[in-house]
């Protein structure tokens, strides 16, 4: 059992009911506050915990840490590159310090003022420098729905899909953190009954409900990562909204796949939830429908039971939930995705992001994109307040939320939130 996961632990920090961030979570992110520079932090309830301040006061001095500089960096790359055993020890130490019966910080008002910051006073930042980004296509339900819309409904999946975690290399530079505002993209669009494309703002703007994992190791070119060792190479998970321009995508994606339709902005949640925190939510993945090649065969629980929610908020209106899905629907697990990414010898880097692809469930209210919810624009989506949508309009906000919950504890991810602005004038 991982010590910090003990469901009986209680914190002396007041934690709201159904908070995403109980003491059993201890996620990691980058925050700034007042005039301070961005620095590593964790979060308990509605408070950020400054890891650099914990280090300043010597709370990590009894741990086997040779280099304390990762606690002072404006990105988490050096921190997440620490060995898993050491990161686990640090997480356990934080858990001990904020356990209800530990007086060290609880009874020291001067230290509390510098270590604990109300979350409303903090600005969250992109938690890692992202060297590379891969987007997979791992939800059978989503791939089937798209195949039905654009190909033969009787043969929705392409022949390779049940044999291989399909993916493509995306644009890491356009990944931003929750709270971003992104302009509607422009691109080439082939209008109906036309033979020549035009350059125009996207009309069919969409979200994609995804999870993403972040790698914690550098590997050498030519070294695959066996499936059974992928757990040690993954630091944790974030929510991932892969914004998509469907009309631009439809024209450009053949034969090489998405390009401008995906690279204008993807939005992650700011707190990375560790795989350790999610250990009690590991479940079996869907049974493979085809015999898998040995490097993709799994022998243990490789999926996670995480509830996923999508809200849409029109300008000046209240947000409305438009979809509820779950990461358990992933046909290809994050561990299979990483094993496949590296089977050809592709090297990985600390801070790489690997997104799952849209995660759709088996029912219409669990679809993970507006393309599916509106069935390619043929059905109106009720967003409350007497309004409907088929795709995203200017000034709409898309909010993704996620949490894993059982009878003992709830481990959440916070939000991935983005507002869509009008296309920029040329």
């Amino acid at each position: 059992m991982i010590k910090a996961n003990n469901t009986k632990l209680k914190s002396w920090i007041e934690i709201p009911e159904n908070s995403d961030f109980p003491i059993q979570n201890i996620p990691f992110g980058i925050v700034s506050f007042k005039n301070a520079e961005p620095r590593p932090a964790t979060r308990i309830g509605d408070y950020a915990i400054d890891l650099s301040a914990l280090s300043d006061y010597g709370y990590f001095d009894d741990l086997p840490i040779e280099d304390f500089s990762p606690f002072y960096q404006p990105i988490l790359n050096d921190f997440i590159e620490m060995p898993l055993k050491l990161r686990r020890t640090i997480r356990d130490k934080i858990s001990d310090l904020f356990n209800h019966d530990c007086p060290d910080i609880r009874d020291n008002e001067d230290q509390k003022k510098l270590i604990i910051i109300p979350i409303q006073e903090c600005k969250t930042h992109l938690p890692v420098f992202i060297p590379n980004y891969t987007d997979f296509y791992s939800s059978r339900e989503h791939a089937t729905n798209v195949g039905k819309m654009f190909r033969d409904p009787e043969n929705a999946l392409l022949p390779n899909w049940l044999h291989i975690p399909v993916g493509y290399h995306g644009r890491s530079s356009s990944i931003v953190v929750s709270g971003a505002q992104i302009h509607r993209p422009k691109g080439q669009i082939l209008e109906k009954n036309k033979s020549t494309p035009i350059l125009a703002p996207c009309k069919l703007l969409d979200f994609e409900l995804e999870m993403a994992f972040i790698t914690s190791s550098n590997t050498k070119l030519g070294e695959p990562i066996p499936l059974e060792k992928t757990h040690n190479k993954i630091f944790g998970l974030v929510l991932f909204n892969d914004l998509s321009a469907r009309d631009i995508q439809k024209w450009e994606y053949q034969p090489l796949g998405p390009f401008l339709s995906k690279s204008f902005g993807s939005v992650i949640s700011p707190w990375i939830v560790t795989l350790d925190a999610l250990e009690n939510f590991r479940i079996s993945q869907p049974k493979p429908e085809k015999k898998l090649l040995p490097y993709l065969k799994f022998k243990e629980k490789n999926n996670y039971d995480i509830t996923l929610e999508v809200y849409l908020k029109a300008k000046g209106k209240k947000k409305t939930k438009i979809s509820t899905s779950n990461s358990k629907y992933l046909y290809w697990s994050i561990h299979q995705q990483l094993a496949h990414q590296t089977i050809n010898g592709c090297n990985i880097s600390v801070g790489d992001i690997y997104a799952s692809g849209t995660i759709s469930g088996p029912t219409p209210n669990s679809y993970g994109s507006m393309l599916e919810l509106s069935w390619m624009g043929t059905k109106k989506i009720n967003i409350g307040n007497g309004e409907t949508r088929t795709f995203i309009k200017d000034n709409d906000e898309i909010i993704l939320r996620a949490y894993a919950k059982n009878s003992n504890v709830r481990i959440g991810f916070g939000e991935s939130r983005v507002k869509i602005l009008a296309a920029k004038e040329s």
Side-chain angles (χ1 to χ4, degrees):
M1 180 178 177
I2 298 170
K3 180 181 176 183
N5 290 0
N6 186 346
T7 57
K8 295 182 180 180
L9 295 177
K10 303 291 183 183
S11 177
W12 50 263
I13 292 179
E14 184 178 352
I15 299 174
E17 187 177 359
N18 287 324
S19 171
D20 280 351
F21 304 103
I23 193 172
Q24 291 83 3
N25 192 339
I26 311 181
F28 295 95
I30 296 291
V31 303
S32 61
F33 49 90
K34 298 179 181 178
N35 295 320
E37 294 296 317
R39 75 274 311 279
T42 186
R43 180 172 174 177
I44 298 177
D46 291 335
Y47 295 89
I49 311 299
D50 184 347
L51 299 188
S52 65
L54 288 179
S55 181
D56 286 342
Y57 284 114
Y59 285 113
F60 298 134
D61 287 356
D62 60 337
L63 304 183
I65 300 174
E66 297 181 1
D67 180 7
F68 289 84
S69 64
F71 298 112
Y72 300 88
Q73 300 297 322
I75 52 175
L76 287 175
N77 293 56
D78 288 348
F79 177 80
I80 68 178
E81 193 177 2
M82 289 180 172
L84 173 60
K85 185 177 180 179
L86 180 55
R87 296 198 312 266
R88 186 171 289 170
T89 301
I90 293 170
R91 187 167 168 267
D92 286 345
K93 180 68 175 183
I94 295 170
S95 175
D96 289 341
L97 289 170
F98 293 95
N99 194 18
H100 71 98
D101 60 359
C102 181
D104 295 359
I105 302 171
R106 184 193 67 195
D107 298 344
N108 190 320
E109 293 300 323
D110 290 337
Q111 289 188 10
K112 280 167 67 174
K113 290 178 183 178
L114 295 177
I115 293 173
I116 305 171
I117 306 96
I119 200 67
Q120 65 267 23
E121 297 179 13
C122 296
K123 179 181 180 181
T124 54
H125 300 266
L126 200 65
V128 292
F129 169 73
I130 307 166
N132 304 289
Y133 157 49
T134 296
D135 190 22
F136 283 97
Y137 192 48
S138 295
S139 162
R140 193 192 197 289
E141 289 80 3
H142 174 68
T144 300
N145 287 339
V146 173
K148 287 179 178 178
M149 288 183 219
F150 293 101
R151 290 189 296 274
D152 178 6
E154 299 301 318
N155 297 282
L157 293 179
L158 291 171
N160 65 347
W161 201 93
L162 294 171
H163 295 272
I164 184 174
V166 175
Y168 73 94
H169 293 283
R171 183 77 182 177
S172 61
S173 64
S174 57
I175 298 175
V176 294
V177 76
S178 177
Q181 296 184 341
I182 292 178
H183 288 272
R184 183 176 297 272
K186 294 180 181 179
Q188 286 196 23
I189 297 171
L190 184 65
E191 296 180 307
K192 190 175 181 179
N193 299 321
K194 301 289 184 179
S195 59
T196 303
I198 62 170
L199 177 64
C202 163
K203 295 181 178 65
L204 308 182
L205 187 59
D206 202 356
F207 69 86
E208 289 192 342
L209 172 61
E210 306 189 26
M211 300 294 292
F213 67 87
I214 298 175
T215 45
S216 59
S217 297
N218 296 308
T219 61
K220 294 180 180 179
L221 189 65
E223 294 184 358
I225 301 173
L227 187 62
E228 62 272 14
K229 294 185 178 180
T230 55
H231 193 277
N232 292 332
K233 305 294 184 182
I234 298 173
F235 178 67
L237 299 176
V238 292
L239 275 162
F240 193 92
N241 183 354
D242 189 23
L243 292 170
S244 300
R246 299 300 186 187
D247 40 6
I248 297 172
Q249 182 179 2
K250 184 178 180 180
W251 172 241
E252 74 175 5
Y253 84 101
Q254 299 184 63
L256 294 180
F259 188 46
L260 302 185
S261 58
K262 297 281 191 175
S263 61
F264 63 95
S266 299
V267 189
I268 68 170
S269 50
W271 298 101
I272 307 173
V273 177
T274 64
L275 288 194
D276 275 358
L278 296 168
E279 181 64 23
N280 292 332
F281 300 95
R282 289 176 68 171
I283 59 173
S284 299
Q285 62 195 95
K287 184 178 179 180
E289 297 181 32
K290 300 288 185 180
K291 184 177 180 180
L292 300 180
L293 292 174
Y295 79 98
L296 291 172
K297 287 185 178 179
F298 51 90
K299 299 179 181 179
E300 56 185 17
K301 296 178 179 180
N302 272 334
N303 253 15
Y304 295 88
D305 183 5
I306 303 170
T307 298
L308 309 172
E309 300 175 334
V310 183
Y311 297 82
L312 193 149
K313 183 180 182 299
K315 184 178 181 180
K317 307 292 184 179
K318 294 182 179 179
K319 67 182 181 182
T320 298
K321 186 191 296 187
I322 60 173
S323 180
T324 301
S325 188
N326 195 296
S327 62
K328 68 184 179 182
Y329 298 127
L330 286 176
Y331 185 90
W332 298 105
S333 75
I334 63 174
H335 303 283
Q336 289 171 312
Q337 291 166 14
L338 187 57
H340 181 67
Q341 171 83 58
T342 62
I343 191 63
N344 67 341
C346 174
N347 53 321
I348 69 169
S349 301
V350 174
D352 284 353
I353 283 188
Y354 304 79
S356 61
T358 304
I359 305 175
S360 293
T363 58
N365 64 345
S366 63
Y367 294 163
S369 66
M370 297 191 83
L371 177 70
E372 295 165 273
L373 291 168
S374 73
W375 206 254
M376 206 162 53
T378 62
K379 300 178 181 179
K380 292 184 178 181
I381 305 165
N382 183 4
I383 65 165
N385 313 296
E387 294 193 46
T388 60
R389 293 285 187 276
T390 53
F391 289 93
I392 300 171
K393 291 187 176 182
D394 293 346
N395 298 307
D396 283 350
E397 284 187 83
I398 299 296
I399 304 150
L400 310 186
R401 296 193 60 88
Y403 61 90
K405 185 177 181 179
N406 57 30
S407 59
N408 296 312
V409 69
R410 170 188 169 120
I411 303 296
F413 288 76
E415 291 183 344
S416 168
R417 177 187 290 258
V418 61
K419 183 176 183 179
I420 299 301
L421 304 181
K424 284 191 173 183
E425 297 294 331
S426 299

